Amino acid sequence: MGYPPEILLEAVANGLLMGAVYGLVALGLTLVYGVLHIINFAHGALLTLAMYAAFVAHGAFGLDPYAAIIPLAGVFFVLGYLVQRLVIGPASRGDDSNMLLVTLGLSIIIENAMLAIFRSDTMTIRLPYAMSMVELGDVLLSVPRLIGFGVTLLLAALLFLLMTRTDTGRAIRAVAKERTGAALVGIDVAHIYAVTFGIGTACLAIAACLLLPSFYVSPRVGNAFVLVAFTIVVLGGMGSVTGALLGGLFIGVVESLSGLYFGDSLGQIGIFLIFILVLLLRPTGLFGARA
């Protein structure tokens, strides 16, 4: 089935906008892997927790999800820092395989806690701009997705400055490259681990606030996004921040075009085809890190 060029252009544009938020979810995942060298199995559950936090902030305090970005990012940074410093670090005792089991256990605990508190009901919030569109020539763009795209680009720029212009960023890069050498020159590796985990968790809080105006929340909603995030991380290269952002944009376009040609119910089929092809043809990802 052929589509007019303006329909294809609109699908690509909206795919890019959604892909930016996907990239933000993947960014936290790849950042933790790049420094701690583990896959955080609690990533999806923490995203779910952040979405519920934004939902409760709106219901209890009338706080718009976009206005909640800064306070929730701060809260979840502290939460991520404490979880790594007080739970994952001590429980794993420096063993990477133990870290995997601890994060898996955290995922189960968080998901079941959300299920006990909020039940299995799907929840949404009503916002006046949730369905708003902006017309650019022949292309209609979703306002929430446009905002999400802009916030993600701003956050990427801030993270770049953090990693390249600050002592903390230099310490994170040093620990990611050689933890023993970093410790020998006086870097507190445990602190840097916790800071990195906190940054990754804060990214999830921001992504949750960007998703909530146009998406629902349920106890396992984060898992769907993390499946996409894993594909993005493998595509971009494990541990590559640039790969996560660019991979997110690419996967967003693939999902949008797949939904256009195959229907919404099969919209993600293109994502998993890409995942399989990358593993078969270029397992190191686009930016060369070992996947």
PDB file of all heavy atoms in Angstrom, residues 48-49 52 107-121 123 218-220:
ATOM      1  N   THR A  48       8.182   2.529  36.014  1.00  0.00           N
ATOM      2  CA  THR A  48       6.798   2.420  36.471  1.00  0.00           C
ATOM      3  C   THR A  48       6.595   3.218  37.751  1.00  0.00           C
ATOM      4  O   THR A  48       5.605   3.952  37.896  1.00  0.00           O
ATOM      5  CB  THR A  48       6.427   0.942  36.721  1.00  0.00           C
ATOM      6  OG1 THR A  48       6.627   0.198  35.527  1.00  0.00           O
ATOM      7  CG2 THR A  48       4.987   0.816  37.167  1.00  0.00           C
ATOM      8  N   LEU A  49       7.522   3.087  38.700  1.00  0.00           N
ATOM      9  CA  LEU A  49       7.435   3.817  39.961  1.00  0.00           C
ATOM     10  C   LEU A  49       7.426   5.323  39.710  1.00  0.00           C
ATOM     11  O   LEU A  49       6.651   6.068  40.334  1.00  0.00           O
ATOM     12  CB  LEU A  49       8.614   3.429  40.851  1.00  0.00           C
ATOM     13  CG  LEU A  49       8.672   4.079  42.240  1.00  0.00           C
ATOM     14  CD1 LEU A  49       7.463   3.686  43.073  1.00  0.00           C
ATOM     15  CD2 LEU A  49       9.964   3.682  42.955  1.00  0.00           C
ATOM     16  N   TYR A  52       4.026   6.404  38.366  1.00  0.00           N
ATOM     17  CA  TYR A  52       3.050   6.486  39.452  1.00  0.00           C
ATOM     18  C   TYR A  52       3.310   7.710  40.326  1.00  0.00           C
ATOM     19  O   TYR A  52       2.366   8.343  40.823  1.00  0.00           O
ATOM     20  CB  TYR A  52       3.075   5.216  40.298  1.00  0.00           C
ATOM     21  CG  TYR A  52       2.175   4.126  39.782  1.00  0.00           C
ATOM     22  CD1 TYR A  52       2.688   2.907  39.363  1.00  0.00           C
ATOM     23  CD2 TYR A  52       0.789   4.314  39.707  1.00  0.00           C
ATOM     24  CE1 TYR A  52       1.853   1.894  38.888  1.00  0.00           C
ATOM     25  CE2 TYR A  52      -0.048   3.310  39.232  1.00  0.00           C
ATOM     26  CZ  TYR A  52       0.493   2.106  38.830  1.00  0.00           C
ATOM     27  OH  TYR A  52      -0.336   1.126  38.358  1.00  0.00           O
ATOM     28  N   SER A 107      13.247  -5.351  41.119  1.00  0.00           N
ATOM     29  CA  SER A 107      12.184  -5.236  40.124  1.00  0.00           C
ATOM     30  C   SER A 107      10.915  -5.944  40.591  1.00  0.00           C
ATOM     31  O   SER A 107       9.810  -5.395  40.507  1.00  0.00           O
ATOM     32  CB  SER A 107      12.662  -5.823  38.788  1.00  0.00           C
ATOM     33  OG  SER A 107      11.614  -5.867  37.849  1.00  0.00           O
ATOM     34  N   ILE A 108      11.078  -7.152  41.096  1.00  0.00           N
ATOM     35  CA  ILE A 108       9.918  -7.929  41.564  1.00  0.00           C
ATOM     36  C   ILE A 108       9.243  -7.232  42.745  1.00  0.00           C
ATOM     37  O   ILE A 108       8.009  -7.127  42.807  1.00  0.00           O
ATOM     38  CB  ILE A 108      10.361  -9.355  41.946  1.00  0.00           C
ATOM     39  CG1 ILE A 108      10.851 -10.101  40.694  1.00  0.00           C
ATOM     40  CG2 ILE A 108       9.214 -10.115  42.608  1.00  0.00           C
ATOM     41  CD1 ILE A 108      11.529 -11.419  40.999  1.00  0.00           C
ATOM     42  N   ILE A 109      10.044  -6.725  43.676  1.00  0.00           N
ATOM     43  CA  ILE A 109       9.490  -6.048  44.856  1.00  0.00           C
ATOM     44  C   ILE A 109       8.712  -4.790  44.449  1.00  0.00           C
ATOM     45  O   ILE A 109       7.580  -4.561  44.906  1.00  0.00           O
ATOM     46  CB  ILE A 109      10.611  -5.685  45.842  1.00  0.00           C
ATOM     47  CG1 ILE A 109      11.203  -6.955  46.466  1.00  0.00           C
ATOM     48  CG2 ILE A 109      10.099  -4.752  46.937  1.00  0.00           C
ATOM     49  CD1 ILE A 109      12.470  -6.723  47.261  1.00  0.00           C
ATOM     50  N   ILE A 110       9.303  -3.966  43.575  1.00  0.00           N
ATOM     51  CA  ILE A 110       8.657  -2.718  43.170  1.00  0.00           C
ATOM     52  C   ILE A 110       7.363  -2.998  42.409  1.00  0.00           C
ATOM     53  O   ILE A 110       6.315  -2.381  42.685  1.00  0.00           O
ATOM     54  CB  ILE A 110       9.616  -1.864  42.313  1.00  0.00           C
ATOM     55  CG1 ILE A 110      10.799  -1.378  43.163  1.00  0.00           C
ATOM     56  CG2 ILE A 110       8.884  -0.664  41.713  1.00  0.00           C
ATOM     57  CD1 ILE A 110      11.910  -0.732  42.358  1.00  0.00           C
ATOM     58  N   GLU A 111       7.408  -3.924  41.458  1.00  0.00           N
ATOM     59  CA  GLU A 111       6.213  -4.228  40.675  1.00  0.00           C
ATOM     60  C   GLU A 111       5.079  -4.740  41.550  1.00  0.00           C
ATOM     61  O   GLU A 111       3.923  -4.333  41.391  1.00  0.00           O
ATOM     62  CB  GLU A 111       6.547  -5.253  39.592  1.00  0.00           C
ATOM     63  CG  GLU A 111       7.299  -4.671  38.412  1.00  0.00           C
ATOM     64  CD  GLU A 111       7.480  -5.680  37.290  1.00  0.00           C
ATOM     65  OE1 GLU A 111       6.992  -6.824  37.431  1.00  0.00           O
ATOM     66  OE2 GLU A 111       8.103  -5.321  36.282  1.00  0.00           O
ATOM     67  N   ASN A 112       5.392  -5.623  42.473  1.00  0.00           N
ATOM     68  CA  ASN A 112       4.348  -6.171  43.339  1.00  0.00           C
ATOM     69  C   ASN A 112       3.836  -5.145  44.338  1.00  0.00           C
ATOM     70  O   ASN A 112       2.654  -5.168  44.703  1.00  0.00           O
ATOM     71  CB  ASN A 112       4.861  -7.424  44.052  1.00  0.00           C
ATOM     72  CG  ASN A 112       4.856  -8.648  43.146  1.00  0.00           C
ATOM     73  OD1 ASN A 112       3.832  -9.276  42.946  1.00  0.00           O
ATOM     74  ND2 ASN A 112       6.014  -8.969  42.580  1.00  0.00           N
ATOM     75  N   ALA A 113       4.708  -4.236  44.766  1.00  0.00           N
ATOM     76  CA  ALA A 113       4.262  -3.151  45.642  1.00  0.00           C
ATOM     77  C   ALA A 113       3.281  -2.240  44.906  1.00  0.00           C
ATOM     78  O   ALA A 113       2.238  -1.844  45.463  1.00  0.00           O
ATOM     79  CB  ALA A 113       5.461  -2.355  46.141  1.00  0.00           C
ATOM     80  N   MET A 114       3.605  -1.907  43.646  1.00  0.00           N
ATOM     81  CA  MET A 114       2.699  -1.077  42.852  1.00  0.00           C
ATOM     82  C   MET A 114       1.375  -1.792  42.605  1.00  0.00           C
ATOM     83  O   MET A 114       0.309  -1.179  42.609  1.00  0.00           O
ATOM     84  CB  MET A 114       3.352  -0.719  41.517  1.00  0.00           C
ATOM     85  CG  MET A 114       4.576   0.169  41.601  1.00  0.00           C
ATOM     86  SD  MET A 114       4.284   1.777  42.382  1.00  0.00           S
ATOM     87  CE  MET A 114       4.838   1.437  44.062  1.00  0.00           C
ATOM     88  N   LEU A 115       1.444  -3.101  42.390  1.00  0.00           N
ATOM     89  CA  LEU A 115       0.233  -3.893  42.178  1.00  0.00           C
ATOM     90  C   LEU A 115      -0.632  -3.909  43.436  1.00  0.00           C
ATOM     91  O   LEU A 115      -1.863  -3.798  43.365  1.00  0.00           O
ATOM     92  CB  LEU A 115       0.611  -5.318  41.774  1.00  0.00           C
ATOM     93  CG  LEU A 115      -0.523  -6.253  41.331  1.00  0.00           C
ATOM     94  CD1 LEU A 115      -1.236  -5.696  40.109  1.00  0.00           C
ATOM     95  CD2 LEU A 115       0.024  -7.644  41.038  1.00  0.00           C
ATOM     96  N   ALA A 116       0.014  -4.013  44.609  1.00  0.00           N
ATOM     97  CA  ALA A 116      -0.735  -4.029  45.864  1.00  0.00           C
ATOM     98  C   ALA A 116      -1.377  -2.674  46.161  1.00  0.00           C
ATOM     99  O   ALA A 116      -2.497  -2.603  46.674  1.00  0.00           O
ATOM    100  CB  ALA A 116       0.191  -4.440  47.010  1.00  0.00           C
ATOM    101  N   ILE A 117      -0.671  -1.607  45.838  1.00  0.00           N
ATOM    102  CA  ILE A 117      -1.166  -0.256  46.163  1.00  0.00           C
ATOM    103  C   ILE A 117      -2.203   0.225  45.152  1.00  0.00           C
ATOM    104  O   ILE A 117      -3.271   0.727  45.526  1.00  0.00           O
ATOM    105  CB  ILE A 117       0.011   0.737  46.223  1.00  0.00           C
ATOM    106  CG1 ILE A 117       0.955   0.379  47.374  1.00  0.00           C
ATOM    107  CG2 ILE A 117      -0.500   2.171  46.400  1.00  0.00           C
ATOM    108  CD1 ILE A 117       2.268   1.134  47.354  1.00  0.00           C
ATOM    109  N   PHE A 118      -1.915   0.061  43.871  1.00  0.00           N
ATOM    110  CA  PHE A 118      -2.763   0.644  42.828  1.00  0.00           C
ATOM    111  C   PHE A 118      -3.631  -0.378  42.096  1.00  0.00           C
ATOM    112  O   PHE A 118      -4.390  -0.015  41.208  1.00  0.00           O
ATOM    113  CB  PHE A 118      -1.892   1.384  41.800  1.00  0.00           C
ATOM    114  CG  PHE A 118      -1.132   2.541  42.382  1.00  0.00           C
ATOM    115  CD1 PHE A 118       0.209   2.422  42.711  1.00  0.00           C
ATOM    116  CD2 PHE A 118      -1.764   3.753  42.618  1.00  0.00           C
ATOM    117  CE1 PHE A 118       0.910   3.487  43.253  1.00  0.00           C
ATOM    118  CE2 PHE A 118      -1.081   4.822  43.154  1.00  0.00           C
ATOM    119  CZ  PHE A 118       0.267   4.689  43.473  1.00  0.00           C
ATOM    120  N   ARG A 119      -3.519  -1.660  42.478  1.00  0.00           N
ATOM    121  CA  ARG A 119      -4.218  -2.745  41.790  1.00  0.00           C
ATOM    122  C   ARG A 119      -3.744  -2.826  40.340  1.00  0.00           C
ATOM    123  O   ARG A 119      -2.761  -2.232  39.957  1.00  0.00           O
ATOM    124  CB  ARG A 119      -5.735  -2.584  41.894  1.00  0.00           C
ATOM    125  CG  ARG A 119      -6.237  -2.410  43.325  1.00  0.00           C
ATOM    126  CD  ARG A 119      -5.832  -3.582  44.185  1.00  0.00           C
ATOM    127  NE  ARG A 119      -6.259  -3.418  45.573  1.00  0.00           N
ATOM    128  CZ  ARG A 119      -5.896  -4.226  46.556  1.00  0.00           C
ATOM    129  NH1 ARG A 119      -5.094  -5.247  46.311  1.00  0.00           N
ATOM    130  NH2 ARG A 119      -6.311  -4.024  47.787  1.00  0.00           N
ATOM    131  N   SER A 120      -4.464  -3.590  39.548  1.00  0.00           N
ATOM    132  CA  SER A 120      -4.018  -3.799  38.160  1.00  0.00           C
ATOM    133  C   SER A 120      -4.697  -2.857  37.177  1.00  0.00           C
ATOM    134  O   SER A 120      -4.556  -3.004  35.969  1.00  0.00           O
ATOM    135  CB  SER A 120      -4.289  -5.253  37.745  1.00  0.00           C
ATOM    136  OG  SER A 120      -5.669  -5.548  37.853  1.00  0.00           O
ATOM    137  N   ASP A 121      -5.439  -1.883  37.691  1.00  0.00           N
ATOM    138  CA  ASP A 121      -6.179  -0.967  36.821  1.00  0.00           C
ATOM    139  C   ASP A 121      -5.224  -0.085  36.013  1.00  0.00           C
ATOM    140  O   ASP A 121      -4.175   0.334  36.493  1.00  0.00           O
ATOM    141  CB  ASP A 121      -7.113  -0.076  37.640  1.00  0.00           C
ATOM    142  CG  ASP A 121      -8.178  -0.878  38.373  1.00  0.00           C
ATOM    143  OD1 ASP A 121      -8.508  -1.971  37.880  1.00  0.00           O
ATOM    144  OD2 ASP A 121      -8.650  -0.425  39.424  1.00  0.00           O
ATOM    145  N   MET A 123      -4.476   3.443  34.508  1.00  0.00           N
ATOM    146  CA  MET A 123      -4.845   4.797  34.915  1.00  0.00           C
ATOM    147  C   MET A 123      -4.270   5.827  33.948  1.00  0.00           C
ATOM    148  O   MET A 123      -3.181   5.647  33.392  1.00  0.00           O
ATOM    149  CB  MET A 123      -4.331   5.091  36.329  1.00  0.00           C
ATOM    150  CG  MET A 123      -4.861   4.148  37.398  1.00  0.00           C
ATOM    151  SD  MET A 123      -4.147   4.508  39.018  1.00  0.00           S
ATOM    152  CE  MET A 123      -4.941   3.256  40.027  1.00  0.00           C
ATOM    153  N   SER A 218       0.299   1.596  34.530  1.00  0.00           N
ATOM    154  CA  SER A 218      -0.155   0.361  35.169  1.00  0.00           C
ATOM    155  C   SER A 218       1.068  -0.277  35.827  1.00  0.00           C
ATOM    156  O   SER A 218       2.207   0.133  35.547  1.00  0.00           O
ATOM    157  CB  SER A 218      -0.794  -0.590  34.148  1.00  0.00           C
ATOM    158  OG  SER A 218       0.183  -1.097  33.257  1.00  0.00           O
ATOM    159  N   PRO A 219       0.878  -1.278  36.696  1.00  0.00           N
ATOM    160  CA  PRO A 219       2.027  -1.802  37.457  1.00  0.00           C
ATOM    161  C   PRO A 219       3.165  -2.373  36.629  1.00  0.00           C
ATOM    162  O   PRO A 219       4.279  -2.487  37.129  1.00  0.00           O
ATOM    163  CB  PRO A 219       1.387  -2.883  38.332  1.00  0.00           C
ATOM    164  CG  PRO A 219      -0.015  -2.431  38.529  1.00  0.00           C
ATOM    165  CD  PRO A 219      -0.398  -1.810  37.218  1.00  0.00           C
ATOM    166  N   ARG A 220       2.916  -2.746  35.376  1.00  0.00           N
ATOM    167  CA  ARG A 220       3.994  -3.334  34.567  1.00  0.00           C
ATOM    168  C   ARG A 220       4.232  -2.558  33.274  1.00  0.00           C
ATOM    169  O   ARG A 220       4.829  -3.078  32.347  1.00  0.00           O
ATOM    170  CB  ARG A 220       3.679  -4.804  34.259  1.00  0.00           C
ATOM    171  CG  ARG A 220       3.769  -5.694  35.482  1.00  0.00           C
ATOM    172  CD  ARG A 220       3.569  -7.166  35.175  1.00  0.00           C
ATOM    173  NE  ARG A 220       3.839  -7.985  36.351  1.00  0.00           N
ATOM    174  CZ  ARG A 220       2.954  -8.252  37.296  1.00  0.00           C
ATOM    175  NH1 ARG A 220       1.729  -7.776  37.194  1.00  0.00           N
ATOM    176  NH2 ARG A 220       3.277  -9.001  38.337  1.00  0.00           N
TER     177      ARG A 220
END
